[in-house]
Amino acid sequence: MNCIDFTNGKTQVFGIIGNPVEKSFSPILQNTIARALGMNSVYVPFKVEKGAVATAVKGGKELGIKGFNVTVPHKIEVMEALCDIDPVAERIGSVNTLKLTENGYKGYNTDIIGLKKCFEERNIDISGKTVVLAGAGGAANSAAMLAGEEKAAKLVILNRTKEKAEKLAERVRAYYSIETEVLGYDEIMSIENPEIFVQTTSVGMGNDVDGTPVKNAEFFNNVKIVVDIIYTPWETKLMKDASAHGAVAVNGFDMLFYQGLASFEIWNDIKVDKELAVKLKNQLTDFYCGR
Ligand code: ATR
């Protein structure tokens, strides 16, 4: 569809705030969903410098921009510019979705919803299970809180820098009654029933095609599902190892799609039909892989 077929004086504007944003897939993702649902809206990238996020958000309100996604490096800084924050986003400590309200923007975190959908789509229930997390940086927070939200029995955090993992474990325990353990990657074989594994480090990303934080692939013998938040390359070394040892391995594209869909649903107060969601995800997957 040509943009003159739907843009007019009533077109609603959405966007993504980040730096850099030039390579963001979100404009393609959001505009594809909006076209499929016949929305009169556009979604555009906004490059915003560190320290200027509050000014940008204030300007967004004055311009009537209905909603934003927020990406690296602004997911924490943006929290100071909001009139309200969803409790789950508050617990995670970062916001990736802003919705315009009467008083300003309300912040949400849909990264956690994106990850949750990866499991739901494969009928995997986290409750009562052991969740193993590789990494303790920004991306790990949502996964750690999901383990708490979904009542996992235990959360094991693996990280090169143990202090960072201890901090994250403490944060999770402050909100949820979940057993936590911090281990180094060399202690991985001691984990009992590590059914769910979430990879949140940058190891294996881009040209690092032989990189994996899990050196002993035998570990995956007892793992049911692996979600690697990386989607370039499409299949990481860790995913290949996991599949070869019988685990279901999912890359980060599903999470990317479903966090975007969740933002779209929040902005428009709608629930997108499951079948249509899968159709759109497949369409965007083909587009992403083919370009
Ligand atoms: P993000 O916000 O994308 O999670 P981040 O906050 O910089 O990025 O976190 C990166 C994560 O990848 C951290 O857990 C980091 O481990 P450290 O806390 O020890 O730095 C992990 N990471 C990055 N490079 C790594 C490597 N070569 N080996 C193991 N872990 C690595």
Side-chain angles (χ1 to χ4, degrees), residues 115-185:
L115 183 57
K116 189 178 164 186
K117 288 291 282 186
C118 289
F119 297 120
E120 272 178 11
E121 211 173 68
R122 289 158 186 89
N123 293 320
I124 291 186
D125 186 4
I126 300 178
S127 71
K129 310 261 169 65
T130 294
V131 175
V132 182
L133 193 54
N141 278 34
S142 310
M145 292 302 163
L146 181 66
E149 279 286 312
E150 297 292 298
K151 299 187 172 51
K154 188 174 177 180
L155 172 68
V156 182
I157 307 176
L158 309 166
N159 204 42
R160 191 175 50 176
T161 318
K162 280 202 176 175
E163 301 79 60
K164 248 167 103 179
E166 294 284 4
K167 261 196 168 161
L168 180 55
E170 217 171 278
R171 196 177 166 92
V172 174
R173 285 197 310 270
Y175 297 111
Y176 305 99
S177 51
I178 179 173
E179 190 190 339
T180 62
E181 187 174 18
V182 169
L183 294 175
Y185 291 104

Side-chain angles (χ1 to χ4, degrees), residues 179-200:
E179 190 190 339
T180 62
E181 187 174 18
V182 169
L183 294 175
Y185 291 104
D186 53 344
E187 299 168 289
I188 200 165
M189 296 308 282
S190 69
I191 305 170
E192 274 177 43
N193 288 326
E195 281 182 66
I196 320 274
F197 188 92
V198 186
Q199 199 304 109
T200 71

Side-chain angles (χ1 to χ4, degrees), residues 39-74:
M39 299 288 179
N40 184 358
S41 63
V42 290
Y43 181 105
V44 286
F46 295 108
K47 181 178 171 184
V48 175
E49 299 294 335
K50 265 190 171 173
V53 178
T55 315
V57 168
K58 212 170 157 198
K61 180 175 183 285
E62 295 308 319
L63 292 167
I65 294 177
K66 298 290 175 193
F68 290 105
N69 278 131
V70 183
T71 188
V72 179
H74 301 321

Side-chain angles (χ1 to χ4, degrees), residues 25 122 204-209 226-240 243 249-257 280-291:
F25 190 65
R122 289 158 186 89
M205 185 151 60
N207 293 327
D208 182 22
V209 288
V226 167
V227 178
D228 192 328
I229 64 157
I230 295 170
Y231 49 90
T232 313
W234 194 252
E235 190 182 21
T236 59
K237 165 88 165 70
L238 182 133
M239 288 172 64
K240 285 180 189 160
S243 299
V250 184
N251 73 10
F253 196 84
D254 269 34
M255 190 176 161
L256 174 77
F257 173 77
L280 287 167
K281 183 175 66 127
N282 292 339
Q283 186 185 330
L284 285 160
T285 299
D286 289 348
F287 178 83
Y288 186 83
C289 291
R291 63 183 194 162

